[in-house]
Amino acid sequence: MSRTDRGSRVIAAPPAAVYAALLDRESVETWLPPDGMRGSVERWDPRPGGGFRMVLTYLDPADGLGKTSDATDVVEVVFADLVPARRVVQRAVFEADDPRYAGTMTMTWHLAAVRGGTEVSVTAEDVPPGIDRTAHEAGIASSLANLSSYVEAARPGTPQPGR
C-alpha cells in the first residue's frame, strides 16, 4: 500500500523566486536539510531527466537515525518534470540496505501565486514504509520553513549563492 505525506506554506515571494531556489544547487544545500541535519550536493544537473545526489548528515549522529549509515541519508534525485514558476517533480531513491527504505518516492512541489506571495505545496507519494510519517511531515515543514527564510531574505539587487 502506498503512502502520501504532505506539507504546505505561503512564502512571501513571487513563484519565480521560489522556483529559482528549487533549482539552484547552493540554495538547495542551504534550505532543503531539515532541522538537525546539514546537506551537501555531490552532483547537480537541473533539467528534466537530470538530477542530483545529496548527502544529508545528522548533526547529532548519536541518535543513529540515518538510512544509509547511522549518521547519514544519501538520496539520488531525478528531476521528472520542471514547469517554471509552477511545479517541480522529483523522483527520490534512498541508498539503504534496509528494504523498508527501498523504492522510488515522488516529491511534487506545486507553486501557486496567492495574495502575499506563493503557496508551496509538497506532496510525497509512495513514501517508503521505513520513513515515519510524523517525522517526515515535520521534515517537510522544516524544509519549507527554511525555504521561506531563504527566499524571503533575498532582496532585489542582492546576489544569491550560485547565481
Side-chain angles (χ1 to χ4, degrees):
M1 184 173 178
S2 66
R3 187 178 96 212
T4 301
D5 296 345
R6 293 179 169 81
S8 66
R9 182 180 185 104
V10 173
I11 297 176
V18 176
Y19 183 81
L22 293 173
L23 291 179
D24 179 81
R25 178 184 187 147
E26 291 178 26
S27 298
V28 168
E29 281 183 329
T30 300
W31 65 260
L32 184 61
D35 288 342
M37 300 186 90
R38 71 175 178 273
S40 173
V41 173
E42 294 184 338
R43 180 181 44 78
W44 186 257
D45 184 6
R47 62 179 175 80
F52 63 97
R53 174 185 167 93
M54 184 170 225
V55 177
L56 293 160
T57 304
Y58 288 87
L59 299 177
D60 184 0
D63 293 337
L65 301 172
K67 297 167 193 64
T68 307
S69 73
D70 284 347
T72 62
D73 293 346
V74 177
V75 62
E76 288 282 343
V77 177
V78 171
F79 290 113
D81 188 33
L82 299 174
V83 180
R86 304 253 339 257
R87 182 177 56 247
V88 173
V89 180
Q90 304 168 331
R91 292 208 169 81
V93 176
F94 289 97
E95 288 184 10
D97 292 332
D98 187 334
R100 296 177 307 135
Y101 300 112
T104 301
M105 177 173 62
T106 301
M107 300 278 296
T108 303
W109 301 75
H110 293 278
L111 311 178
V114 296
R115 184 177 179 96
T118 303
E119 181 176 19
V120 181
S121 301
V122 180
T123 305
E125 298 174 284
D126 299 321
V127 178
I131 298 174
D132 177 77
R133 177 189 298 272
T134 301
H136 191 225
E137 289 185 339
I140 292 169
S142 177
S143 292
L144 284 168
N146 294 341
L147 175 61
S148 179
S149 294
Y150 182 86
V151 174
E152 290 172 3
R155 300 287 183 246
T158 303
Q160 291 294 298
R163 298 188 199 201

